[in-house]
């Protein structure tokens, strides 16, 4: 290996001062590696040191063959690279020209034209919910991946309503004829949070409409039923009518501005329970992170059923201890779609490959786990209610979805670099469920992903770490706020 290292240094030094030779050398070296070694070997020319750094060591004979081949492409007479194998000139020229065209096609793509997927937080106006179609049509290879928020919200609301009806004999803890619930709202400007709040209120009959939509604003404290953003609902079971009341609701935002904050939810249930704890019959939450915080802080000990969303592993396990239920948003399917649409765009194949149509490895999704909205350029995973009846099927939320878990061939699908951020590294769902799934799928799809964790508060905490987008082949973006897509697009447009 000592001789190989010396050979690398001699050859690299001979081309450092000749830009044309460097360019030809790089192209031919990439051709050789793509042809013979696939994604597991990459090369980086380091001009400052005058050496060629390799991720994996090769034997001396292989190194000599590489540089000899490169010398032919560069037209060099250097003695260190004069032992080119006697291959067919015609075949070599054909292979080199096609591979050179491939390098040019992928290596010179402007950042604004590279594949982009928005995920988990759909570009939209945080006040009105209107989709940001400029962001969703940033280029021809831009998509959104998330889940069907409205379908999931309806499931959560119906799950709570069904539980009340099934347990009507014991649900009214103080026997006052009022089924009281409290609601933890994640982010008042987030479409998913808005949908879940509306879903609960619609199912329980506490919703009020304004301008054709169910009001999703927090009610504050509403023990007396006088709030203007909700109303008292009614439910009749076994001939007896009960009032359903939203006793309190608030956005769980901490002092630093981070939303969906579990600690804030834990503090809130402490405040609510000390004021009107005997009236709380149900705890509802926009997600499991906040739901589990309230469950552990108060609900579990007081045997008050708590309902969340996301099917995080700890929440699913807690169903055996009295957690009422949760909603699986098929994170396994979402994570796959997030990287799959990038893989397809990078390969230049139909976007439906490996999704609705089987790929060359047999990966394919059935239409009961996702849907595609072409007008919105959005893929949505479908949701499943997780209750005491089926929770054992969801105990590990980080297992890949079996129908799309076959490794892609590295020769046909060579390694590509992807920049991907998580808006908040402390977010329970994204960090404990979504990212572990992404890390499994990036291997299966031959993608080298750089994961960036944000602070959940400022967009600049993330965008400041996208200083050199040219080194990546594609981007997956999870915004702090849904209406901040322009912050990322401006960087990619530079």
């Amino acid at each position: 290996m000592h001789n190989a290292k010396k050979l690398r240094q001699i050859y690299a030094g001979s081309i450092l001062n000749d830009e044309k030779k460097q360019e030809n050398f790089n192209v031919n070296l990439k051709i050789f590696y793509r042809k013979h070694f696939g994604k597991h070997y990459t090369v980086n020319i380091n001009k400052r040191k005058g050496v060629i750094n390799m991720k994996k060591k090769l034997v001396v004979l292989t190194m000599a063959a590489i540089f000899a081949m490169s010398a032919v492409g560069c037209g060099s007479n250097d003695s260190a690279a004069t032992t080119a194998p006697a291959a067919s000139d015609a075949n070599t020229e054909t292979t080199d020209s096609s591979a050179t065209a491939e390098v040019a096609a992928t290596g010179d793509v402007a950042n604004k034209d590279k594949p982009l997927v928005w995920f988990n937080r759909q570009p939209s106006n945080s006040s009105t919910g209107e989709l940001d179609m400029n962001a969703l049509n940033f280029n021809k290879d831009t998509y959104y991946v998330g889940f069907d928020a409205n379908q999931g919200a309806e499931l959560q609301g119906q799950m709570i309503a069904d539980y009340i009806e099934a347990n009507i004999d014991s649900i009214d803890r103080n026997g006052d004829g009022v089924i009281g619930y409290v609601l933890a709202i994640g982010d008042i400007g987030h479409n998913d949070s808005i949908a879940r709040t509306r879903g609960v209120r619609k199912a329980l009959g506490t919703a009020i409409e304004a301008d054709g939509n169910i009001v999703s604003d927090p009610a504050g404290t509403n023990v007396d039923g006088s709030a203007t953003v909700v109303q008292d609902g009614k439910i009749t079971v076994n001939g007896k009518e009960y009032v359903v009341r939203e006793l309190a609701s608030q956005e769980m935002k901490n002092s630093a501005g981070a939303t969906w904050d579990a600690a804030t939810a834990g503090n809130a249930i402490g405040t609510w329970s000390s004021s009107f704890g005997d009236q709380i019959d149900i705890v509802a939450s926009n997600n499991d992170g906040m739901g589990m915080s309230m469950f552990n802080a108060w609900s579990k000990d007081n045997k008050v059923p708590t309902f969340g969303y996301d099917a995080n592993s700890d929440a699913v396990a807690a169903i055996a201890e009295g957690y009422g239920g949760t909603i699986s948003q098929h994170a396994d399917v979402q994570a796959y779609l997030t990287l799959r649409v990038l893989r397809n765009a990078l390969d230049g194949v139909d976007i439906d490959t490996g999704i609705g149509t089987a790929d060359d490895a047999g990966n394919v999704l059935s239409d009961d786990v996702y849907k595609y909205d072409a007008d919105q350029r959005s893929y949505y995973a479908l949701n499943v209610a997780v209750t005491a009846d089926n929770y054992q099927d969801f105990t590990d939320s980080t297992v890949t979805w079996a129908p799309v878990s076959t490794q892609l061939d590295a020769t046909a699908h060579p390694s590509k670099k992807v920049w991907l951020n998580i808006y908040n590294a402390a977010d329970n769902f994204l960090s404990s469920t979504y990212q572990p799934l992404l890390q499994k799928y990036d291997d299966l799809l031959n993608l080298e992903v750089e994961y960036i964790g944000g602070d959940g508060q400022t967009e600049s905490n993330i965008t400041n770490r996208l200083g050199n987008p040219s080194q990546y082949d594609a981007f997956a973006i999870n915004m702090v706020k849904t209406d901040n897509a322009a912050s990322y697009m401006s960087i990619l447009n530079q």
Side-chain angles (χ1 to χ4, degrees), residues 258-276:
T259 53
W260 304 85
D261 188 62
T264 302
N267 292 333
I269 194 64
T271 300
W272 292 335
S273 62
S274 65
S275 299
F276 46 88

Side-chain angles (χ1 to χ4, degrees), residues 461-472:
N461 181 262
I462 299 168
T463 55
N464 287 343
R465 287 180 279 176
L466 186 54
N468 185 17
S470 297
Q471 65 181 302
Y472 304 99

